[in-house]
């Protein structure tokens, strides 16, 4: 594993400092971090790793002042379903927050969950959102949804020291690397692991990380914590913590790292005037883009949608377009009120997760929770020249996409891929099968090969933007792509008074 001297050398030879301008895209990270329309006071960390490695238990220990008893007491407040409590395995995405006032962690005293969050938000000047994802193979699509749709800044890979590096651990590492999400590692359960097994696990982990282009860096003291914080934003290293949720070994170093690390802005570099990839045709780009990852019906409030704002800024009473529905249409809705981490807000900035209470502008259209589907978004209308008045502009609804072109690379496939292949696309919050209609300039693709591919969604038109990265998979086969051109379609005419 890398030493601190090697990390210092890498900082001067392998790339620029985090505060410097990125050599590849000419973008200034610090300029974005100081943008008043960008949320900087919340860092989002997704927990990944094999089943039974201790992800939920680690979240329970980090968010409380107590340790685990070795029998699952720490995870009892994290798991939200009865079957999860019974078998100890996460099957749905769970979100918890940690608050910090300066260098001190805010420990809430309230018992009720909503009151605990309110106390953390009131007393903190910076928060960390911990996203608990699934480790079991049959819930991999839920984990992919968390990594693509919830937009984490970092991934915390949890590896059970007594379990070794399993197949799902390797799968999670490859997915995080494909999505360019910086990784940190926590090797857990060292209190019950024999020294020889721990050494074997660390060796296998280092080998797997290096195979994915990551440089492991063991964090053993406070100086190493600061080095890790300074280097992980540029994705130069992968900090490795050795911890125990029962004895507390190494927890102080992990807490210090989580307190000091700040969000990675590269996930938001494709916004507004920063759309500048020469290989991508940027057309019909919105100024506001809010993918919906959750829909709720709240008594006395009505329909509430949740998600992460990827572009622009939203305020109460703003009118936006909701869609696409099953026929590819959008309807106008008004944002009645906004909450962020269970607290009322007057605005939402880029990079901020929030929930909106919405209502339709057309009273004849009734919003129902059952009619929402994965992939729906809130966006603003497009300003185009007026067809009837010279020099005038009009606002038109956005359009969904049925076909798109993408630059793809095949990460793994046992044989060859030809036109007609139908993988499942995971792009942000949407998940749908898409057919490879045409391989431009090629007849087939194998593992490691790149090509421009034309896709067509099998079931519904979706709202996707040029420049968006996505993962496609089918069984053990998987690849990654970047949308380079979209082909918008006109929606099928909807009947007035229809239910959405």
């Amino acid at each position: 594993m890398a030493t601190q001297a090697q990390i210092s050398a890498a900082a001067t030879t392998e790339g620029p400092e985090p505060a410097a301008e990125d050599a590849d895209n000419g973008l200034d990270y610090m300029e974005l971090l100081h943008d008043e329309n960008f949320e900087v006071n919340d860092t989002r960390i997704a927990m990944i790793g094999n089943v039974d490695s201790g992800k939920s238990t680690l979240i329970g220990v980090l968010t409380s002042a107590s340790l685990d008893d070795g029998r699952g007491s720490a995870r009892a407040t994290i798991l939200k379903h009865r079957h999860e409590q019974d078998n100890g395995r996460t099957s749905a995405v769970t979100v918890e927050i940690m608050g910090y006032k300066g260098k001190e962690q805010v420990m809430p005293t309230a018992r009720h969950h909503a009151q605990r969050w309110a106390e953390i938000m009131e007393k903190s000047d910076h928060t960390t959102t911990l996203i608990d994802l699934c480790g079991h193979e049959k819930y991999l699509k839920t984990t992919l949804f968390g990594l693509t749709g919830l937009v984490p800044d970092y991934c915390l890979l949890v590896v059970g020291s007594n379990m070794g590096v399993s197949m799902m651990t390797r799968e999670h590492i490859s997915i995080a690397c494909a999505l360019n999400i910086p990784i940190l590692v926590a090797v857990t359960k060292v209190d019950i692991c024999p020294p020889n097994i721990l050494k074997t696990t660390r060796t296998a982990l280092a080998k797997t990380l290096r195979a994915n282009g990551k440089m492991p860096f063991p964090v053993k003291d406070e100086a190493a914590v600061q080095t890790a914080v300074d280097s992980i934003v540029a994705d130069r290293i992968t900090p490795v913590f050795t911890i125990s949720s029962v004895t507390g070994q190494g927890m102080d170093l992990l807490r210090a790292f989580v307190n000091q690390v700040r969000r990675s802005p590269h996930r938001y570099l494709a916004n507004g005037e920063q759309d500048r990839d020469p290989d991508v045709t940027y057309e019909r780009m919105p100024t506001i883009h809010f993918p919906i990852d959750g829909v709720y019906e709240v008594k006395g409030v009505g329909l509430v949608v949740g998600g992460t704002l990827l572009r622009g800024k939203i305020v109460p009473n703003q009118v936006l377009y909701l869609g696409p529905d099953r026929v590819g249409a959008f309807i106008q809705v008004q944002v009645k009120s906004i909450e962020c981490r269970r607290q009322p807000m007057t605005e939402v900035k880029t990079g901020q997760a929030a929930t909106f209470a919405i209502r339709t502008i057309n009273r004849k259209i009734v919003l129902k929770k059952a009619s929402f589907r994965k992939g729906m978004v809130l966006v603003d209308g497009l300003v185009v020249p007026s067809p009837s008045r010279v020099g005038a502009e009009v606002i038109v609804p956005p359009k969904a996409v049925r076909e798109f072109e993408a630059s793809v690379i095949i990460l793994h496939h046992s044989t060859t891929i030809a036109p007609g292949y139908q993988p499942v696309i995971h792009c942000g919050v949407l998940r749908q099968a898409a057919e490879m209609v045409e391989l431009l300039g090629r007849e087939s693709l194998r593992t490691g090969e790149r090509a421009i591919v034309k896709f067509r969604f099998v079931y519904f038109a979706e709202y996707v933007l040029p420049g968006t990265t996505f993962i496609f998979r089918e069984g053990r086969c998987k690849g990654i792509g970047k949308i380079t051109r979209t082909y918008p379609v006109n929606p099928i005419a909807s009947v007035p008074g229809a239910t959405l």
Side-chain angles (χ1 to χ4, degrees):
M1 293 191 179
T3 63
Q4 236 174 305
Q6 289 174 320
I7 299 301
S8 300
T12 58
T13 60
E14 294 187 7
E17 291 296 323
E21 201 173 79
D22 189 285
D24 294 332
N25 53 29
L27 298 173
D28 191 344
Y29 281 0
M30 296 308 295
E31 180 181 346
L32 180 62
L33 286 174
H34 289 96
D35 186 348
E36 62 178 8
N37 294 321
F38 181 73
E39 172 60 37
V40 298
N41 292 323
D42 180 50
T43 305
R44 299 165 69 85
I45 301 177
M47 313 290 285
I48 59 176
N50 191 37
V51 63
D52 297 332
S53 59
K55 299 183 294 296
S56 301
T57 296
L58 179 56
I59 291 181
V61 172
L62 287 174
T63 56
S64 66
S66 59
L67 298 172
D68 187 46
D69 63 355
R71 294 178 175 83
S73 63
R75 69 178 181 225
T77 58
I78 307 301
L79 303 178
K80 57 185 180 181
H81 296 297
R82 179 62 183 270
H83 69 273
E84 292 178 328
Q85 296 281 0
D86 292 341
N87 60 27
R89 294 179 177 179
T90 301
S91 63
V93 177
T94 307
V95 177
E96 287 292 331
I97 63 173
M98 301 170 61
Y100 293 93
K101 184 71 172 179
K103 293 185 178 182
E104 295 294 325
Q105 182 177 350
V106 175
M107 292 296 181
T109 57
R111 293 186 177 182
H112 192 270
H113 194 264
Q115 294 174 342
R116 290 169 63 87
W117 278 40
E119 186 177 346
I120 290 174
M121 294 300 298
E122 180 183 354
K123 297 180 179 179
S124 305
D125 52 29
H126 175 261
T127 59
T128 297
T129 301
L130 300 176
I131 306 170
D132 189 18
L133 301 180
C134 314
H136 199 283
E137 183 177 6
K138 72 177 181 179
Y139 302 126
L140 181 58
K141 65 179 182 180
T142 303
T143 301
L144 277 169
F145 174 78
L147 292 177
T148 58
L150 301 186
V151 202
D153 301 301
Y154 305 97
C155 285
L156 174 51
L157 175 69
V158 182
V159 180
S161 59
N162 59 335
M163 302 165 62
V165 180
S166 65
M167 180 198 69
M168 284 309 299
T169 301
R170 293 186 174 92
E171 183 80 5
H172 287 180
I173 291 175
S174 66
I175 292 171
C177 291
L179 294 172
N180 290 323
I181 306 176
I183 301 174
L184 59 143
V185 181
V187 180
T188 61
K189 304 183 182 180
V190 294
D191 55 309
I192 61 172
C193 182
N196 62 318
I197 301 298
L198 176 60
K199 183 177 180 181
T200 302
T201 299
R202 291 174 66 91
T203 302
L205 176 62
K207 183 178 180 181
T208 304
L209 290 173
R210 290 194 182 99
N212 286 274
K214 301 293 184 181
M215 183 165 62
F217 173 59
V219 179
K220 299 180 179 180
D221 53 37
E222 291 290 343
V225 169
Q226 188 59 51
T227 302
V229 169
D230 294 339
S231 301
I232 193 173
V233 173
D235 205 11
R236 292 196 204 96
I237 66 167
T238 299
V240 179
F241 298 84
T242 304
I243 66 171
S244 169
S245 297
V246 175
T247 64
Q249 176 183 341
M251 292 301 299
D252 55 338
L253 297 177
L254 181 57
R255 287 180 186 273
F257 177 88
V258 172
N259 179 16
Q260 297 178 45
V261 72
R262 292 297 181 263
R263 77 182 317 165
S264 174
H266 82 278
R267 305 279 277 177
Y268 305 92
L269 288 178
N271 294 343
E273 69 280 356
Q274 295 166 336
D275 297 326
R276 53 177 82 177
D277 189 334
D279 298 326
V280 178
T281 303
Y282 294 99
E283 296 176 336
R284 303 179 68 87
M285 300 297 288
T287 55
I288 294 175
H289 184 208
F290 183 82
I292 297 172
D293 59 46
V295 184
Y296 318 94
E297 285 182 335
V298 181
K299 187 176 181 180
V301 176
L303 204 68
V304 175
V305 296
T308 304
L309 183 60
L310 301 184
R311 304 170 70 96
K313 184 171 67 173
I314 297 178
V315 297
N317 299 320
Q318 192 166 351
V319 176
L320 300 170
Y321 285 91
L322 170 68
D325 58 15
R326 287 175 172 80
V327 298
F330 288 78
I331 63 169
Q332 283 188 307
V333 297
Q334 184 181 41
V335 177
K336 296 192 296 182
S337 60
I338 300 174
E339 281 195 2
C340 178
R341 289 167 240 151
R342 307 188 183 224
Q343 302 302 303
M345 303 289 288
T346 57
E347 67 174 13
V348 178
K349 302 178 181 178
T350 300
Q352 198 166 11
T355 54
F356 303 141
I358 59 174
R359 68 171 184 86
T360 57
I361 298 297
N362 184 353
R363 299 289 185 174
K364 294 181 180 180
I365 300 177
V366 181
L367 288 177
K368 290 188 176 181
K369 179 181 177 181
S371 300
F372 280 77
R373 62 183 184 86
K374 288 186 183 298
M376 296 186 73
V377 298
L378 286 174
V379 292
D380 60 337
L382 299 171
V383 179
V384 298
S386 173
S388 57
R389 295 176 57 190
V390 177
E393 293 181 333
V394 294
I395 298 178
V396 298
K399 290 186 177 182
V401 171
R402 194 64 186 263
E403 294 186 346
F404 64 92
E405 290 180 5
S407 173
V408 305
I409 179 171
I410 308 304
L411 300 178
H412 174 73
H413 195 280
S414 56
T415 56
T416 60
I417 293 176
Y421 179 65
Q422 291 187 358
V424 176
I425 300 286
H426 296 263
C427 181
V429 295
L430 79 84
R431 180 175 70 231
Q432 187 184 159
E435 179 183 355
M436 289 187 175
V437 179
E438 183 181 1
L439 307 181
L440 303 183
R442 305 181 68 102
E443 294 183 355
S444 62
L445 287 174
R446 292 180 178 271
T447 299
E449 294 183 342
R450 300 173 182 265
I452 301 296
V453 179
K454 189 173 184 179
F455 288 87
R456 176 180 174 83
F457 287 115
V458 174
Y459 302 107
F460 310 109
E462 301 282 6
Y463 188 80
V464 294
L465 296 179
T468 305
T469 300
F470 64 91
I471 280 183
F472 58 93
R473 57 186 292 269
E474 186 256 337
R476 298 283 183 201
C477 311
K478 64 177 180 292
I480 190 167
K482 184 176 185 179
I483 299 174
T484 56
R485 181 189 291 271
T486 58
Y487 298 93
V489 296
N490 292 317
I492 301 173
S494 56
V495 180
T499 299
L500 181 66

